[in-house]
Amino acid sequence: MTAIPDTSDTAPAPSKAAQAGAPQIKPPLRERLIETPALLPGLTFLLVLILWETLTRAFQVPTYVLPPPSRIVEGFGAVSFARWAEHVWSTFRVAMLGYVVAIAVSLPIAIGLAKSRFLTRCLYPLLVVIQSVPVVAVAPIIIVVLGTDDAPRVVITFMISFFPLVVSMTTGLMATPPELIELSRSLNAPAYREFTQIRIPYALPYIFSGLKISITLSVIGAVVAEFVAADAGLGYFIQFSTSMFKLPQAWAGLFLLVALSLLLFQIVTQIQKRLFPWSLPKETR
Amino acid sequence: MTLAPPAISFQDVAQVFATKSGPLTALGGVNLEVAQHEFVAVLGPSGCGKSTLLRLTSGLMMPSAGQITVLGLPVTRPREDVGIVFQQPTLLPWASVEENVVFPVKHTKGRVGPAHRDRAREILETVGLGGFGKRLPGELSGGMQQRVGIARALFLNPDLLMMDEPFSALDALTRDEMGYELLRLWQASPKTVMFITHSIPEAVLLADRVLVMSERPGRVIADLKVPLGRPRSEESLRAPEVQEFAAHLRSLLIKPAKPSPKPEAA
């Protein structure tokens, strides 16, 4: 066999070739800046913080309108670490429980929708109706029905985060090349293997985009639930702090919330990267 | 020998699909017979139901009317002993080349034994992919991916090989190369092959017999023996009688004998 795999349309290896062939010639500064990891976004964030600090100080913006970052940092100190941990844990727990329930519910629904057009015709309109209900408006009702512990908060989180999962999973399960399904059928294999060995792995890129959207939605869901009824959690803390006019610590809570959301998003991204690298577009592997 | 049943036999097979704009007759009364170890090309314009023919033979679809037998037995469900090569390689992008080849066993049995792995390596060697077993499909060129597809179809050593325009997605050079490769494979272990194509040179190069199909509703309008012995080469394609044969096929395709719009069972 003399054929060598044609790399021109598969592996993007020009950077290696450039290093080996002409090490002295540097690409333009602008390109090097773009390629340096974390440099440009980091600088942007720093610049925003500096501008924020100087402008709020220069114009003496009242703290309740927009506290400068330094005051927000002080706001972190206004509350004990144990209290922060309690709030973060509470929000994290509800968000994760709601997320897991959303995954557990949407996968069977998606499999059902992918397998049967009959079921799609019956169920899909119902799902759209559920998705169209403004969850914030239903939240008080859910709390009256389910009480004041975690259950109603988990349900609210679930309601906010499950729809993108159903849609992405169903789309993914339907995206399998029909020939592979025919191959599966021509082998007379057990029907479930069509899903475990073909459809679900094929759907993973879609499933992961759903998982990424839903993880941030589940944090939003937890916060919405806490706004309505809670005695702990970052959402509760922000609402409580603003009602006491303690804006810097409300902002501190908001920052933690963003950090939590980003962290969870990163975890999902890393799981995809480590376990299913082929499910990512080539240039991001 | 004379008692051996035909590998494939169609008797008055019609296929009608339900579509939004009403029933669509894909095949209108097809009769054909393929002997064992015969290489038959099915040639026809796009949308003439060539692929339907293949799906009916492999039992992925049941005919609306008529009778289909494979190796003397009526087709009532998908048959494992029919290997299928599709237009696209349709490999699993996350599985290595070897995993893709053993996939038929993994899919039916749930696990793969060492004997199957040996068989996979052997068959990859035959299709010219020895040493590529650990690669991912995305790392291979289109032609090599289709070789993996062929290896997968041959893996269970099927009696029948169904090929649905397997080289039409490849560039012209690779396409020729794959044609000769297929000839070599077939000569080494002759199987009954039904080769769907819309390329006249491909049909002439590969097949013992060419079935020409009409436009929809698809029917076999000509059943012609290729005037060529084996083994074949580029030279043999240049022979005048072969050129004449190809021209005849072309005339059949360009001016198909229009079948009556409402086909009655002949």
Side-chain angles (χ1 to χ4, degrees), chain B residues 201-216:
Chain B
E202 204 168 66
V204 174
L205 172 69
L206 295 172
D208 296 317
R209 200 146 60 88
V210 180
L211 301 179
V212 183
M213 291 191 64
S214 67
E215 281 176 343
R216 198 159 46 222

Side-chain angles (χ1 to χ4, degrees), chain B residues 4 116 251:
Chain B
H116 289 126
S251 70

Side-chain angles (χ1 to χ4, degrees), chain A residues 1 3 5-6 10 177 179-180 182-190 193-194 197-198 201-202 278 282, chain B residues 55 60 77-80 86 90-94 103-104 106-110 128 132 135 138-139 152:
Chain A
M1 182 71 204
D6 180 12
T10 55
E179 289 88 353
L180 273 177
E182 289 194 328
L183 178 69
S184 170
R185 287 184 48 214
S186 78
L187 291 165
N188 288 315
R193 288 215 186 102
E194 178 188 314
Q197 293 186 351
I198 300 177
Y202 243 101
W278 49 265
K282 265 181 185 145
Chain B
R55 278 164 181 77
L60 287 167
R77 58 177 208 135
R79 300 184 57 115
E80 296 97 330
F86 301 98
T90 49
L91 306 174
L92 308 172
W94 57 87
F103 180 73
K106 192 174 180 197
H107 200 54
T108 42
K109 303 266 176 358
F132 286 93
R135 301 290 189 92
E139 299 170 334
R152 178 180 62 192

Side-chain angles (χ1 to χ4, degrees), chain A residues 122-278:
Chain A
C122 297
L123 267 185
Y124 200 73
L126 186 66
L127 290 175
V128 175
V129 168
I130 293 176
Q131 166 66 8
S132 309
V133 173
V135 177
V136 187
V138 195
I141 302 174
I142 293 173
I143 297 220
V144 169
V145 174
L146 290 175
T148 52
D149 58 354
D150 271 358
R153 292 195 280 277
V154 170
V155 169
I156 291 166
T157 307
F158 158 79
M159 282 185 71
I160 285 191
S161 60
F162 100 115
F163 192 71
L165 278 174
V166 173
V167 172
S168 61
M169 283 180 184
T170 312
T171 313
L173 292 174
M174 308 278 276
T176 318
E179 289 88 353
L180 273 177
I181 304 302
E182 289 194 328
L183 178 69
S184 170
R185 287 184 48 214
S186 78
L187 291 165
N188 288 315
Y192 73 90
R193 288 215 186 102
E194 178 188 314
F195 278 87
T196 56
Q197 293 186 351
I198 300 177
R199 281 193 193 261
I200 292 178
Y202 243 101
L204 277 175
Y206 299 84
I207 293 179
F208 267 99
S209 37
L211 286 173
K212 284 178 194 163
I213 296 169
S214 286
I215 191 85
T216 48
L217 283 179
S218 67
V219 174
I220 294 173
V223 170
V224 166
E226 285 164 6
F227 278 175
V228 180
D231 48 16
L234 288 168
Y236 160 79
F237 177 81
I238 290 170
Q239 205 185 33
F240 165 83
S241 301
T242 43
S243 67
M244 301 300 232
F245 251 64
K246 294 177 177 170
L247 265 298
Q249 71 178 41
W251 276 89
L254 181 63
F255 273 38
L256 272 182
L257 208 48
V258 173
L260 177 66
S261 227
L262 284 175
L263 178 74
L264 292 175
F265 183 83
Q266 269 306 312
I267 290 173
V268 177
T269 308
Q270 287 304 318
I271 289 175
Q272 183 179 17
K273 226 175 194 165
R274 298 283 155 82
L275 300 184
F276 312 105
W278 49 265

Side-chain angles (χ1 to χ4, degrees), chain B residues 182-197:
Chain B
L182 180 62
L183 270 186
R184 187 180 63 76
L185 284 173
W186 183 76
Q187 238 123 31
S189 110
K191 293 182 182 306
T192 311
V193 180
M194 188 185 256
F195 189 97
I196 312 280
T197 182

